[in-house]
């Protein structure tokens, strides 16, 4: 009988494991079943463009029904309730057993329970454009100055002040950071360039300001009440997993991406804390999830060949941060890049990562036409 691989979660970690496994084995040699609560894979690094109305959501989401045909796996549109790691069994409305089992259920950004009528999560498929066009808010507050918060606020600045022609006195943009700096996990070079961009994009930055609660009128913060007609929540990511792994913290794994003696059960991606230098975890990034997926596919191949796989070593290749249309900053293999060229590279790299050729072409076409329409931005 051919080996069966079960994958829980079709994000960057789970989907790319299926894609890499298909490089080694045909569907006649190995069966792959992928479970996801959602119907589509969402390409999160481009979501801030969707949010600001630059790209339609259907360009960054790919139905699993299409991906399963291209990469020859069975897709089950089911929510996994429970996992038995000792028998590699997944429990949905029925139970399914596998020879290899992968837990890659990622993370989520919990929105605060609040009566505020306009609170958004960048991960959902909404765009702020419609709301802004219907009823222009006087102030928009983005909570969280990590990569998602910074990219989103820069994109919103372009939307409001360049594309729609509003002025900062008509509508103000605020970014809240609970820490003394923005982008705390990135280098000081990237922080400095991002700070400069925020200033030029008329974003009011509030450092050391923790969002405590949200009411109808705005946000209660550690430094006082901040009125906001629209709130964008980009802070406080927590892992999500089926029982019994549904804790508050990322699941600590070994350097082989296992959590017990069972070497056919792998846990990785945002849900896991995969060991990295100085007892820290590999960062929660799409590129780390893809690197781990490639490792797991090679590990499964090694197991089937009765070989011992080497431990996983995370190689941080690049960080690229979009600072709104026409500008980005990053470090590629230790080389610092900034400006239009960084932005062009940022787009090209993500375009190549899209797992469906048809989507690559549609996005490339959309970006090219947008480039011609785009006003020259001097920030
Ligand atoms: C707005 C935003 C922007 C980002 N930008 C970047 C960026 O520019 N660069 C970068 O490197 N990273 C970026 N990231 C981070 C990146 O998206 C994550 O690190 C990456 O998606 C992690 O992959 P994953 O497969 O572990 O989890 P996810 O991509 O979250 O996928 C998990 C999947 O599991 C499914 N699932 C969860 N629970 C269950 C269940 N019980 N049963 C069945 N299915 C389940 C979910 O539906 C989901 O499809 C961004 C994230 C966000 C939210």
């Amino acid at each position: 009988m051919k080996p069966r691989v079960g994958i829980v979660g079709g994000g960057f970690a789970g989907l790319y494991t299926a894609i890499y496994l298909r490089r080694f084995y045909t569907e006649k040699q190995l069966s792959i079943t992928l479970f996801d609560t959602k119907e589509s894979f969402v390409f999160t690094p481009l979501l801030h463009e969707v949010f600001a109305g630059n790209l339609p959501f259907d360009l960054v989401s790919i139905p699993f029904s299409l991906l399963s045909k291209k990469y020859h796996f069975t897709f089950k549109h089911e929510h996994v309730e429970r996992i038995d790691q000792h028998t590699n069994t997944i429990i949905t409305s029925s139970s399914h057993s596998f020879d290899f089992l992968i837990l890659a259920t990622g993370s989520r950004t919990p929105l605060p329970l609040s009566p505020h009528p306009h609170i958004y999560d960048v991960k959902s498929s909404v765009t702020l454009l419609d709301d802004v066009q219907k009823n222009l808010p006087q102030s928009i507050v983005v909570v969280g100055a990590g990569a998602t918060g910074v990219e989103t606020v820069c994109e919103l600045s372009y939307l409001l002040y360049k594309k729609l022609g509003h002025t900062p006195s008509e509508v103000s943009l605020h970014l809240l950071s609970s820490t003394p700096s923005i982008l705390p996990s990135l280098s000081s070079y990237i922080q400095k360039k991002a700070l400069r961009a925020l200033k030029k994009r008329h974003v009011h930055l509030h450092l050391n300001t923790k969002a405590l609660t949200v009411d109808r009128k705005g946000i209660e913060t550690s430094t006082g009440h901040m009125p906001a007609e629209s709130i964008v929540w980009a802070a406080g990511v927590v892992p999500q997993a089926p029982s019994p792994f549904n804790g508050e913290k990322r699941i600590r794994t070994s350097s082989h991406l296992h959590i017990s003696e069972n070497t056919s059960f792998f846990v990785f991606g945002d849900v896991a804390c995969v060991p990295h230098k100085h007892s820290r975890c590999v960062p929660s990034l799409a590129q780390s999830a893809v690197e781990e997926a490639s490792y797991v596919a090679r590990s499964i191949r090694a197991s089937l060949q009765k070989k011992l796989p080497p431990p996983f070593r995370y190689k941080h290749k690049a960080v690229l941060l979009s600072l709104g249309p026409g500008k980005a900053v990053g470090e590629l293999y230790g080389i610092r890049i900034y400006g239009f060229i960084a932005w062009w590279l940022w787009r090209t790299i993500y375009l190549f990562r899209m797992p469906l050729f048809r989507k690559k072409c549609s996005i490339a076409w959309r970006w090219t036409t947008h480039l011609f329409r785009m006003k020259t931005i001097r920030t």
Side-chain angles (χ1 to χ4, degrees):
M1 205 169 90
K2 62 184 174 186
R4 298 154 306 160
V5 178
I7 302 176
V8 186
F12 280 91
L15 175 66
Y16 277 83
T17 307
I19 294 175
Y20 284 123
L21 278 171
R22 279 289 167 252
R23 292 188 184 170
F24 303 141
Y25 298 104
T26 64
E27 57 186 315
K28 284 199 179 126
Q29 295 168 318
L30 180 114
S31 84
I32 305 172
T33 309
L34 188 146
F35 295 77
D36 204 296
T37 313
K38 292 193 268 176
E39 279 180 275
S40 303
F41 165 74
V42 178
F43 200 87
T44 47
L46 298 182
L47 273 179
H48 63 276
E49 292 213 26
V50 173
F51 192 66
N54 274 345
L55 283 177
F57 183 69
D58 63 358
L59 273 195
V60 303
S61 75
I62 310 176
F64 286 116
S65 54
L66 290 182
L67 290 163
S68 65
K69 282 194 194 108
K70 180 161 164 55
Y71 296 105
H72 309 289
F73 60 80
T74 305
F75 172 59
K76 300 253 185 216
H77 182 208
E78 290 178 42
H79 181 75
V80 174
E81 306 282 350
R82 199 178 162 75
I83 285 178
D84 182 344
Q85 61 157 318
H86 306 292
T87 56
N88 287 351
T89 304
I90 289 173
I91 294 112
T92 57
S93 48
S94 50
S95 76
H96 313 257
S97 292
F98 297 95
D99 300 302
F100 295 93
L101 186 55
I102 283 155
L103 173 61
T105 40
S107 58
R108 65 193 173 90
T109 310
L111 283 184
L113 283 173
S114 94
H116 197 287
H118 298 286
I119 180 159
Y120 303 90
D121 164 14
V122 188
K123 211 172 178 177
S124 61
S125 53
V126 295
T127 160
L128 201 69
L129 181 63
D130 304 336
D131 262 18
V132 165
Q133 278 173 327
K134 266 186 233 145
N135 196 1
L136 186 70
Q138 281 181 339
S139 73
I140 301 176
V141 178
V142 177
V143 180
T148 302
V150 171
E151 288 190 324
T152 304
V153 84
C154 288
E155 204 70 33
L156 287 178
S157 164
Y158 175 81
L159 168 75
L160 293 166
Y161 308 137
K162 298 272 177 189
K163 205 164 158 184
L164 301 178
H166 296 296
T167 61
S169 54
E170 283 173 322
V171 47
S172 60
L173 263 178
H174 302 261
L175 179 66
L176 254 63
S177 171
S178 60
T179 55
S181 64
I182 59 165
L183 303 163
S185 60
L186 301 183
S187 70
S188 58
Y189 169 74
I190 294 183
Q191 287 178 3
K192 221 167 77 191
K193 293 288 184 194
L195 275 174
R196 216 168 86 183
L198 290 175
K199 202 169 166 197
K200 288 192 172 166
R201 290 203 181 277
H202 311 285
V203 175
H204 301 270
L205 178 61
H206 305 262
L207 296 173
N208 289 315
T209 307
K210 194 172 165 53
L212 302 172
T213 51
V214 178
D215 54 42
R216 278 192 174 279
K217 299 248 164 86
I219 307 172
E220 195 57 50
T221 77
S222 53
T223 56
H225 191 266
M226 185 174 284
E229 272 91 40
S230 296
I231 299 170
V232 184
W233 205 265
V237 173
V238 292
Q240 56 181 355
S243 165
F245 303 105
N246 46 344
E248 299 270 293
K249 289 191 178 152
R250 294 167 80 188
I251 307 161
R252 213 159 242 290
T253 72
S254 69
S255 56
H256 287 80
L257 278 47
H258 304 306
I259 57 166
S260 64
E261 298 294 298
N262 179 358
T263 55
S264 53
F265 180 50
F266 296 88
V267 184
F268 58 100
D270 275 12
V271 75
C273 170
V274 173
H276 186 34
K277 281 183 220 155
H278 315 302
S279 74
R280 294 216 319 255
C281 312
V282 167
S284 300
L285 288 171
Q287 57 165 308
S288 341
V290 171
E291 245 186 76
E292 289 160 3
S294 159
Y295 169 82
V296 168
R298 283 181 281 119
S299 251
I300 291 177
R301 182 177 60 169
S303 277
L304 290 171
Q305 293 170 343
K306 308 267 181 276
K307 290 182 188 159
L308 265 182
F312 172 72
R313 297 253 181 273
Y314 174 63
K315 292 181 207 85
H316 194 70
K317 292 177 194 138
V319 194
L320 279 167
L321 187 84
S322 164
L323 299 171
K327 194 148 281 188
V329 60
E331 286 165 338
L332 273 175
Y333 297 98
I335 300 167
R336 292 169 171 182
I337 46 169
Y338 176 66
F340 187 84
I341 185 76
W343 183 70
W344 181 84
L345 257 177
W346 171 85
R347 289 196 146 190
T348 311
I349 288 171
Y350 282 127
L351 199 59
F352 275 101
R353 273 271 167 243
M354 265 280 163
L356 209 64
F357 185 69
R358 211 184 314 163
K359 291 276 171 178
K360 275 194 202 49
C361 295
S362 312
I363 293 181
W365 173 249
R366 180 110 189 170
W367 277 346
T368 311
T369 52
H370 179 234
L371 203 61
F372 284 111
R373 279 201 316 266
M374 206 171 90
K375 294 176 191 167
T376 311
I377 310 158
R378 297 190 190 283
T379 54

